[in-house]
Amino acid sequence: YRASDRVSQYLIKNVIYNGSQEPDELFFRIILFKVFNRISTWEVLKKELGDITFKDYSFKKYNRILSELLENKLPIYSAAYIMASGRSIFGYERKHQNHLKLIEMMIKNKLPFKIQDSKNMERVFNLFLSYPTIGEFLAYQYATDINYSQLTNFSEMEFVKAGPGAKDGI
């Protein structure tokens, strides 16, 4: 029951159901939170920006806040999983800059609406997998996180992609 872990509970209570439920806004909050997967990073963004919305999103503002955290030697990413930097794709020096550009790309490509129109969780997984820097593990994690929201409503029993830890356990 992944939804029971501390970070997933925070995502559900403080990110998913705390703001607009419009597909692009909901998707933006979920993916922004999950890219960093760190409660303290989200709370700093909220403190500095107020409501986290895509309509008010500014690469410059988000980059400034995240860069200041790094300059103060504060971590912005969780150690739960390793994420590719995306530098070879987006060209930015810092990992978080490339990840912000990835989120922008997803929204520009109407991914929230494609997800909403998906017929099953495997389709959502494959949509995420089609983006640069996202491998099978992250695609499945993101599909699962999105499924906690009103964007989708799939049974978690219909599609599973085992991660490296589960495979090692088997």
Side-chain angles (χ1 to χ4, degrees):
Y1 295 98
R2 183 171 167 275
S4 297
D5 77 57
R6 181 180 64 86
V7 176
S8 293
Q9 281 296 301
Y10 186 92
L11 169 71
I12 293 164
K13 289 166 124 176
N14 300 89
V15 178
I16 293 175
Y17 293 102
N18 191 1
S20 170
Q21 297 299 297
E22 290 299 313
D24 53 349
E25 293 292 344
L26 182 55
F27 176 87
F28 175 70
R29 287 194 317 275
I30 294 169
I31 296 304
L32 178 68
F33 179 83
K34 289 307 293 184
V35 159
F36 299 101
N37 203 34
R38 188 173 188 89
I39 293 169
S40 60
T41 301
W42 180 262
E43 290 180 346
V44 168
L45 288 170
K46 285 275 298 172
K47 181 181 175 212
E48 294 289 322
L49 300 165
D51 289 337
I52 307 267
T53 64
F54 187 69
K55 81 175 167 65
D56 295 326
Y57 168 78
S58 158
F59 176 83
K60 187 176 178 180
K61 283 184 200 171
Y62 281 65
N63 179 46
R64 178 188 53 77
I65 294 165
L66 296 167
S67 294
E68 284 175 7
L69 288 171
L70 290 173
E71 287 164 13
N72 289 315
K73 307 285 188 231
L74 296 169
I76 61 173
Y77 288 94
S78 163
Y81 41 79
I82 299 168
M83 298 198 36
S85 76
R87 184 176 181 188
S88 64
I89 310 295
F90 298 102
Y92 287 88
E93 187 67 31
R94 290 192 155 158
K95 188 172 164 176
H96 73 271
Q97 295 168 318
N98 296 305
H99 291 155
L100 292 173
K101 290 299 179 181
L102 174 63
I103 295 169
E104 289 176 24
M105 173 192 278
M106 291 173 166
I107 292 178
K108 181 181 176 193
N109 292 345
K110 306 286 186 208
L111 183 58
F113 299 96
K114 292 175 185 175
I115 287 171
Q116 189 176 44
D117 292 341
S118 294
K119 302 295 184 219
N120 56 50
M121 197 152 161
E122 184 174 13
R123 174 69 180 140
V124 176
F125 166 81
N126 285 318
L127 285 168
F128 277 117
L129 196 57
S130 72
Y131 281 87
T133 75
I134 298 181
E136 289 186 350
F137 180 78
L138 272 182
Y140 185 69
Q141 296 304 308
Y142 291 166
T144 300
D145 293 317
I146 290 288
N147 202 45
Y148 296 148
S149 76
Q150 296 176 11
L151 276 180
T152 61
N153 187 24
F154 304 122
S155 165
E156 289 185 32
M157 301 303 286
E158 76 175 48
F159 175 74
V160 174
K161 195 65 163 174
K167 288 179 182 176
D168 286 349
I170 293 170

